[in-house]
Amino acid sequence: MVAQRQPWHIVKPSQLHGNGVFANRDIPAGTRILQYAGKRLTPEQADAMFPVNPDDPFHTFFFALSNGKIVDGGQGGNDSRWINHSCAPNCEGHENSDGSRVFIVAMRDIAAGEELLYDYSLVIDDEITDELKQNYRCLCGAAQCRGTMIAPLPEDERRQAAADELREAAAELEAEMEQARNAPLKDAPAPEATAHDGEDKDAKKGKKDKKPKKKKGKKKDGKKDKKAEKKDKKDKKDNKKK
Ligand SMILES: C[S@@+](CC[C@H](N)C(=O)[O-])C[C@H]1O[C@@H](n2cnc3c(N)ncnc32)[C@H](O)[C@@H]1O
Ligand SMILES: [Zn+2]
């Protein structure tokens, strides 16, 4: 008898919302866990069905494909329709070459018991108002939660990237300030000269070289090289003149 492998996933209630899908065992990055199955609809058919459930009008089992069709997980779907959304997902949708099918794939190694989550990035044709964002509000609780399951607008992405850059610069500055705070004072009396002076210099040099590489900005090095080049050229010219 051939031993049956346990399925990658199980469905059970989620703290995030209703049912969720969880890793039934450790899932390696890149694993195709499930196909997002369901009836294919045209956008017009999908629009005509809205709201599918008037008591919960913004609940959706739709998954838009790049071939223009919409997969309705509510009709002929499988367990993938229970996968919840997160703004910090561990899964993502991968389409086949003609964009007619989509698979839920692990973006990283996922430990048994973790909830499987992908970023819905919902596409809505209307103007994205605060009210609409609220209708599709996200409760994922991730540090970078957008507050909505709606796809970020390019403008939002730019703002997010700028904010990330600022945060990074602030962290670097903070690290430099910390380093400066811990550095010995310049005005401290110089130690008396000893026979080991040469060794001390080498030790200091060693310390300098241990500075994190990141601080040695390439640009700075590049500029230095150009200056050196200019000087070389000038020296050569001067030599010729002579
Ligand atoms: C495809 S279903 C996922 C399964 C869902 N938990 C259920 O039991 O029906 C998608 C719906 O789940 C809810 N949902 C999923 N992720 C969510 C999240 N991060 N925050 C709030 N609601 C979420 C929303 O109502 C969404 O329309
Ligand atoms: Zn979120």
Side-chain angles (χ1 to χ4, degrees):
M1 204 173 74
V2 183
Q4 280 272 300
R5 293 216 78 180
Q6 289 274 314
W8 292 117
H9 74 280
I10 48 165
V11 178
K12 59 178 185 173
S14 162
Q15 300 223 322
L16 214 164
H17 179 277
N19 284 327
V21 180
F22 294 77
N24 194 33
R25 55 191 168 106
D26 291 347
I27 304 177
T31 303
R32 241 187 208 191
I33 303 167
L34 279 164
Q35 181 182 344
Y36 196 94
K39 188 175 172 183
R40 300 305 194 262
L41 304 175
T42 62
E44 294 73 28
Q45 287 169 325
D47 284 348
M49 281 176 69
F50 183 83
V52 177
N53 176 3
D55 293 333
D56 190 4
F58 301 103
H59 183 280
T60 178
F61 281 129
F62 293 160
F63 197 124
L65 296 173
S66 61
N67 72 356
K69 290 279 170 63
I70 287 148
V71 185
D72 179 9
Q75 302 184 68
N78 59 10
D79 288 346
S80 65
R81 71 186 187 280
W82 303 116
I83 302 178
N84 282 319
H85 157 97
S86 172
C87 303
N90 52 17
C91 292
E92 62 191 350
H94 284 195
E95 289 192 344
N96 64 346
S97 54
D98 63 1
S100 62
R101 297 203 291 165
V102 63
F103 299 88
I104 305 301
V105 175
M107 292 167 73
R108 57 163 172 81
D109 291 344
I110 301 173
E114 268 189 76
E115 179 162 5
L116 305 184
L117 301 158
Y118 64 89
D119 186 338
Y120 289 2
S121 282
L122 297 176
V123 178
I124 311 231
D125 294 333
D126 298 331
E127 188 197 341
I128 308 299
T129 59
D130 286 346
E131 189 189 346
L132 201 61
K133 284 184 185 172
Q134 191 59 19
N135 291 338
Y136 291 99
R137 78 173 172 280
C138 176
L139 304 172
C140 79
Q144 62 269 56
C145 179
R146 307 193 286 275
T148 181
M149 297 182 283
I150 297 176
L153 296 171
E155 177 60 20
D156 289 348
E157 273 172 4
R158 258 201 305 275
R159 250 185 255 154
Q160 183 66 42
D164 287 348
E165 222 169 88
L166 272 177
R167 245 194 304 276
E168 216 172 276
E172 255 177 47
L173 206 65
E174 178 58 36
E176 267 174 34
M177 280 164 67
E178 184 64 26
Q179 214 176 346
R181 271 196 289 271
N182 294 332
L185 285 173
K186 260 191 185 167
D187 298 341
E192 273 175 35
T194 69
H196 300 295
D197 256 359
E199 284 173 27
D200 284 350
K201 257 188 208 162
D202 287 347
K204 267 188 199 161
K205 206 172 157 229
K207 212 174 172 189
K208 211 175 169 192
D209 284 350
K210 272 183 202 155
K211 256 193 197 170
K213 269 198 175 154
K214 218 177 162 194
K215 290 221 173 114
K216 287 184 189 163
K218 266 193 177 166
K219 214 170 161 198
K220 215 175 166 192
D221 288 350
K223 265 186 193 163
K224 234 192 245 165
D225 287 350
K226 270 190 189 155
K227 254 191 199 169
E229 250 175 47
K230 256 190 189 170
K231 196 174 175 295
D232 275 359
K233 271 186 194 165
K234 195 173 173 285
D235 288 351
K236 270 184 199 161
K237 249 190 192 172
D238 290 350
N239 280 341
K240 265 189 191 172
K241 272 185 199 165
K242 278 177 205 165

